[in-house]
């Protein structure tokens, strides 16, 4: 049985103090008995948010990482820097990074490998644009993203550490959610891709989230689908809505 995982991606929101205040406000109301909950603030807030979640079962996540170990890479952050402040999960290949910062599938793969070396779970984001879906290319696009992200990753690491987030780009920050059926269909397809690359038992262990305008009004339906193992939540993770989503009715 896969344990559900819900992650809040704060993106470039909340300065340190505001973020800490928000976590203090919600942390006691978040039910972490049945599911893993991850909060992904901006880099500069990681350390203080780690202190704020101490004593809870909430995990700390980062929104990005660089794949080199250390050195002259101005503006970048290594995995060791993340683990030093308590990071356990890291989002990679978010569509905003692919779009604005030209992150490629090959870079995603390098980041995944580096994170796994240091026992950090990657949350690998994949998803198609509206044009790609309209042209019926969405399955091919997602299969390619998943295949390239997992290139040369050992099956044991895939089953134990990898989280995949299916985020159709047309549903991110738009208020338009994929229907629960569309989301489940793609999550199931991704599980099939993992089974093809590895085995069915590996695929059965991988947790696959849906992301894109998840809110309290659609969380129950989405999170109760057969192949959706959680959610990657953007906008709604900045408000009390995150509590309602995490405490959805299963
Ligand atoms: P959204 O963002 O929930 O605001 O649509 C999701 C994401 O980008 O991870």
């Amino acid at each position: 049985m896969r344990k559900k995982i819900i992650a809040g991606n704060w993106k470039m929101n909340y300065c340190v103090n505001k973020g800490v205040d928000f976590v203090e406000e919600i942390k006691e109301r978040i039910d972490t008995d049945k599911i893993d909950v991850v909060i992904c603030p901006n880099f500069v807030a990681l350390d203080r948010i780690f202190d704020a979640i101490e004593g809870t079962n909430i995990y700390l996540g980062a929104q990005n990482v660089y794949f080199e170990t250390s050195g002259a890479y101005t503006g970048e952050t290594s995995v060791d820097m993340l683990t030093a402040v308590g990071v356990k999960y890291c989002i990679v290949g978010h569509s905003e990074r692919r779009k604005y910062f030209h992150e490629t599938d090959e870079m995603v793969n390098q980041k995944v490998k580096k994170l796994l070396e240091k026992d950090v779970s990657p949350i690998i984001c994949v998803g198609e644009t509206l044009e790609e879906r309209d042209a019926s290319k969405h399955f091919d696009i997602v299969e390619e993203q998943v295949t390239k992200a997992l290139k040369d990753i050992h099956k044991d690491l895939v089953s134990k550490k990898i989280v995949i987030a299916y985020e159709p780009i047309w549903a991110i920050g738009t208020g338009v959610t994929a229907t629960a059926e569309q989301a489940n269909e793609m999550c199931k397809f991704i599980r099939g891709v993992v089974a093809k690359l590895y085995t069915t038992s590996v695929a059965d262990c991988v947790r696959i989230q849906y992301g894109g305008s998840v809110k309290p009004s659609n969380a129950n339906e989405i999170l109760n689908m057969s192949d959706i193992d959680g959610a990657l939540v953007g906008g709604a993770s900045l408000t009390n809505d995150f509590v309602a989503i995490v405490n959805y009715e299963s």
Side-chain angles (χ1 to χ4, degrees):
M1 188 63 184
R2 296 179 296 270
K3 193 173 184 191
K4 298 261 198 240
I5 174 165
I6 298 182
N9 173 12
W10 287 3
K11 308 192 180 185
M12 200 171 72
N13 295 292
Y14 283 167
C15 294
V16 180
N17 290 343
K18 187 101 193 288
V20 169
D21 288 350
F22 176 61
V23 169
E24 293 295 348
E25 191 190 317
I26 62 165
K27 68 179 184 185
E28 303 301 340
R29 292 185 284 132
I30 283 190
D31 182 358
T32 52
D33 285 351
K34 309 183 301 269
I35 61 168
D36 290 336
V37 178
V38 187
I39 289 181
C40 307
N42 173 269
F43 284 136
V44 296
L46 285 169
D47 199 18
R48 292 270 309 280
I49 300 295
F50 180 73
D51 291 342
I53 58 178
E54 218 188 338
T56 72
N57 289 322
I58 300 170
Y59 294 104
L60 187 64
Q63 298 175 18
N64 185 27
V65 66
Y66 194 50
F67 49 75
E68 294 292 351
T69 306
S70 64
Y73 301 101
T74 302
E76 293 299 322
T77 304
S78 71
V79 183
D80 285 337
M81 291 169 183
L82 298 182
T83 55
V85 293
V87 166
K88 297 283 186 223
Y89 289 87
C90 182
I91 299 169
V92 280
H94 190 281
S95 59
E96 287 149 17
R97 295 220 52 90
R98 293 179 192 256
K99 180 173 173 194
Y100 302 125
F101 305 99
H102 315 293
E103 204 159 298
T104 63
D105 288 324
E106 289 68 29
M107 289 160 77
V108 170
N109 176 248
Q110 281 175 286
K111 291 180 179 195
V112 170
K113 284 180 181 152
K114 203 70 195 175
L115 289 165
L116 292 171
E117 262 176 38
K118 302 292 169 138
D119 208 30
V120 177
S121 280
I123 300 177
I124 303 169
C125 300
V126 297
E128 80 285 358
T129 62
L130 191 55
E131 295 71 44
E132 288 162 347
R133 179 168 278 264
D134 286 346
S136 300
K137 289 186 186 147
H138 47 305
F139 291 117
D140 291 346
I141 295 286
V142 169
E143 174 159 15
E144 188 177 341
Q145 289 172 335
V146 171
T147 305
K148 288 186 171 171
L150 295 180
K151 186 167 179 281
D152 299 329
I153 311 286
H154 192 273
K155 68 173 174 34
D156 293 347
L157 289 170
V158 175
S159 54
K160 288 198 191 89
K161 304 295 288 188
I162 295 286
V163 178
I164 298 173
Y166 168 55
E167 298 206 305
I169 295 166
W170 46 273
I172 296 177
T174 58
V176 180
T177 324
T179 64
E181 287 72 26
Q182 283 173 322
N184 196 52
E185 179 187 41
M186 185 60 90
C187 290
K188 201 171 190 161
F189 173 78
I190 291 170
R191 202 173 304 289
V193 172
V194 177
K196 207 155 74 176
L197 295 171
Y198 298 91
T199 62
T200 314
S201 53
V202 170
D204 283 342
C205 293
V206 173
R207 295 188 290 179
I208 304 174
Q209 300 173 312
Y210 167 76
S213 299
V214 175
K215 42 197 174 232
S217 58
N218 57 31
N220 284 354
E221 197 188 359
I222 288 169
L223 291 165
N224 281 298
M225 298 303 283
S226 63
D227 278 85
I228 301 179
D229 306 315
L232 183 54
V233 186
S237 72
L238 298 166
T239 69
N240 275 311
D241 282 353
F242 191 59
V243 179
I245 292 169
V246 169
N247 298 346
Y248 75 100
E249 281 167 35
S250 53

